[in-house]
Amino acid sequence: MIFLVNWILIFCLIRDSRGSTLESSLRKLGVEKLNKDDVQRMQWEALESKIQNWIHFMRIAVKLLFAGERKICDQIFEDTSLNKDQCFAEVTSNSVAVLLSFGDAVAKSKRSPEKLFVLLDMYEVLHELHTEVKLVFSLKILKISWVSFCKSNLIHWIETVFQGKSCTEMREAAFSLSKRLAQTAQETFVDFEEAVEKDATRTTVLDGTVHPLTSYVINYVKFLFESEAKDVLGDDWVQRHRRIVQQNANQYKRVAWAKILQTLSVQGVSPSGSGSSSGNDAANNVSKASIKERFKSFNSQFEELHQRQSQWTVPDQELREYLRLAIAEVLLPAYRSYIKRFGPMVETGKNPCKYIRYTPEDLERMLSEFFEGKMLGEPKR
């Protein structure tokens, strides 16, 4: 009986002393208890800084401080009838509550577009590397490499460090926070999408340059996907919007380039008035004058397209290169084929450079200048 009483006293001593030490360690790191009102009153720059600190503190607390307390409780109460999980739960409960309270306050605070990125960062710290092989919690937990420390799944650490029935409440609190952050991130993105749709601006942007609102949305979504937002928004949303981009790009090709491609077609070319129109002699069966007119029309149309669309701006480099390549894939083969077929008719005549003004290589070089946002009169690269 006396032996048991002594162990109970030790239990209380460990709980109080280690709990106090743990809370002191977190305070020295800079952890503070904040509620939704505190978060709401903060300027954005201050809040963003505190969120990044919180992410850092969570990793240190769960992987080092809490794991260390688990090790101490396991060693001290290993061979006793006392519940080592209960001791660990009581040692860490206040510290866990302080850490999670900040995440909960951010998730419940007023939504705004700029918060979406930090919400995703907070969510990610709880769900990074879902394919991480499940570790077995042991004394080796404090001897892992720094790379493993940075990469391992924090939710898994919460599961292993806070194992046992006594820690159920803390595990569930961590999982609830993860779900709440994901939900708030989804709602924030919906708010952003609705705000863009409701924007009533009627500002006209000349020469195909990007509207300021469009540029903002593009940059916003670009940064969003650098935060692995697809884990929250879902693959269906990502694929649906990629298809929309693809459809718009295809529509651009049809609208902007269909007319000039017609000049490189045999269809509609006036016949010469003699001979058969089949076989390798087809080029001899069309009017030289009509071929010259086709070349002149192509030149003027391409120069107009180049002048206009080199002033247009496509901010996203991947999309810009995709559009250039898509144009080149349809324009250059058609142009090469047309020159090969009808070029000799013009080259043997007077002033051939007036009609065959560009080589395929010239066109390829000029296509590389499209969508750069160049001003009129700006020197070519």
Side-chain angles (χ1 to χ4, degrees):
M1 184 67 179
I2 296 176
F3 178 79
L4 179 58
V5 170
N6 288 337
W7 271 112
I8 292 175
L9 291 174
I10 293 174
F11 181 98
C12 295
L13 178 62
I14 294 295
R15 178 196 62 195
D16 297 340
S17 63
R18 295 309 307 168
S20 176
T21 299
L22 182 58
E23 291 171 29
S24 176
S25 297
L26 290 178
R27 282 195 298 272
K28 290 178 180 178
L29 279 175
V31 176
E32 53 185 325
K33 188 170 185 178
L34 298 171
N35 58 34
K36 184 177 71 171
D37 293 334
D38 296 327
V39 168
Q40 201 63 54
R41 285 192 294 267
M42 287 184 190
Q43 295 293 324
W44 167 241
E45 292 77 10
L47 177 59
E48 185 180 26
S49 176
K50 285 189 177 295
I51 289 173
Q52 296 305 322
N53 288 338
W54 179 84
I55 292 171
H56 182 59
F57 297 155
M58 281 293 292
R59 287 194 173 103
I60 292 177
V62 174
K63 296 183 179 183
L64 293 180
L65 299 180
F66 294 160
E69 297 302 328
R70 164 62 79 175
K71 178 180 177 182
I72 291 173
C73 291
D74 286 353
Q75 288 180 334
I76 293 176
F77 299 105
E78 184 66 35
D79 299 320
T80 71
S81 60
L82 296 177
N83 190 332
K84 57 187 178 183
D85 293 339
Q86 180 65 35
C87 179
F88 172 73
E90 294 188 19
V91 166
T92 57
S93 60
N94 288 341
S95 297
V96 170
V98 170
L99 280 168
L100 297 185
S101 67
F102 177 75
D104 193 63
V106 173
K108 291 179 177 179
S109 62
K110 184 178 179 180
R111 299 192 298 268
S112 60
E114 66 271 11
K115 283 184 182 177
L116 180 56
F117 301 104
V118 292
L119 285 168
L120 292 172
D121 289 341
M122 296 173 74
Y123 175 86
E124 187 177 4
V125 78
L126 297 174
H127 280 276
E128 54 192 15
L129 292 181
H130 290 281
T131 56
E132 181 79 9
V133 178
K134 190 171 184 180
L135 301 174
V136 178
F137 183 75
S138 68
L139 297 183
K140 294 180 181 179
I141 202 166
L142 297 178
K143 298 180 181 179
I144 61 174
S145 69
W146 177 251
V147 174
S148 298
F149 172 87
C150 293
K151 290 186 175 181
S152 54
N153 188 334
L154 192 59
I155 283 291
H156 167 72
W157 280 76
I158 291 172
E159 288 177 335
T160 53
V161 175
F162 292 92
Q163 58 184 316
K165 293 182 179 179
S166 301
C167 299
T168 300
E169 184 176 345
M170 288 184 282
R171 289 197 304 271
E172 290 179 350
F175 300 148
S176 296
L177 174 59
S178 177
K179 291 179 181 179
R180 194 173 299 113
L181 288 168
Q183 180 181 353
T184 304
Q186 290 174 334
E187 292 170 351
T188 300
F189 188 79
V190 170
D191 291 345
F192 173 74
E193 190 171 14
E194 291 177 350
V196 172
E197 291 176 351
K198 293 177 181 178
D199 186 88
T201 181
R202 294 292 183 268
T203 304
T204 301
V205 180
L206 302 177
D207 300 326
T209 51
V210 179
H211 191 283
L213 178 62
T214 304
S215 181
Y216 174 73
V217 172
I218 289 174
N219 289 330
Y220 188 88
V221 174
K222 181 179 179 181
F223 285 122
L224 182 63
F225 279 90
E226 289 176 357
S227 298
E228 299 297 330
K230 63 181 180 181
D231 292 339
V232 177
L233 298 174
D235 287 334
D236 289 344
W237 186 94
V238 174
Q239 294 302 323
R240 177 161 54 89
H241 283 75
R242 280 180 177 167
R243 286 195 295 270
I244 292 173
V245 172
Q246 181 73 45
Q247 290 168 2
N248 289 336
N250 290 337
Q251 184 177 6
Y252 155 75
K253 287 192 295 182
R254 288 194 299 271
V255 172
W257 293 90
K259 184 178 178 181
I260 192 173
L261 287 171
Q262 289 178 357
T263 66
L264 301 177
S265 170
V266 179
Q267 185 178 1
V269 177
S270 301
S272 62
S274 62
S276 172
S277 60
S278 61
N280 295 329
D281 295 330
N284 297 323
N285 300 321
V286 297
S287 165
K288 182 180 292 188
S290 65
I291 293 299
K292 289 182 177 180
E293 285 301 316
R294 285 291 183 96
F295 274 117
K296 287 172 63 178
S297 178
F298 174 86
N299 294 337
S300 63
Q301 287 188 49
F302 184 78
E303 287 164 3
E304 181 181 353
L305 286 166
H306 175 262
Q307 180 178 350
R308 183 188 307 122
Q309 296 193 27
S310 62
Q311 297 175 59
W312 291 2
T313 302
V314 177
D316 184 80
Q317 181 178 356
E318 184 177 351
L319 179 58
R320 184 167 64 245
E321 293 299 330
Y322 167 80
L323 290 173
R324 290 170 178 168
L325 180 61
I327 298 166
E329 285 178 343
V330 294
L331 181 68
L332 296 182
Y335 187 71
R336 288 191 178 99
S337 176
Y338 198 81
I339 287 181
K340 182 179 180 181
R341 190 173 188 180
F342 299 110
M345 294 178 62
V346 177
E347 291 169 346
T348 57
K350 184 179 179 181
N351 198 10
C353 293
K354 178 180 177 181
Y355 306 102
I356 305 179
R357 192 173 297 173
Y358 303 105
T359 65
E361 291 72 27
D362 291 332
L363 298 184
E364 189 171 14
R365 175 185 56 78
M366 294 172 74
L367 287 175
S368 70
E369 298 174 349
F370 278 41
F371 317 123
E372 290 287 351
K374 298 173 66 175
M375 300 300 293
L376 284 174
E378 183 178 340
K380 296 182 180 180
R381 292 180 301 174

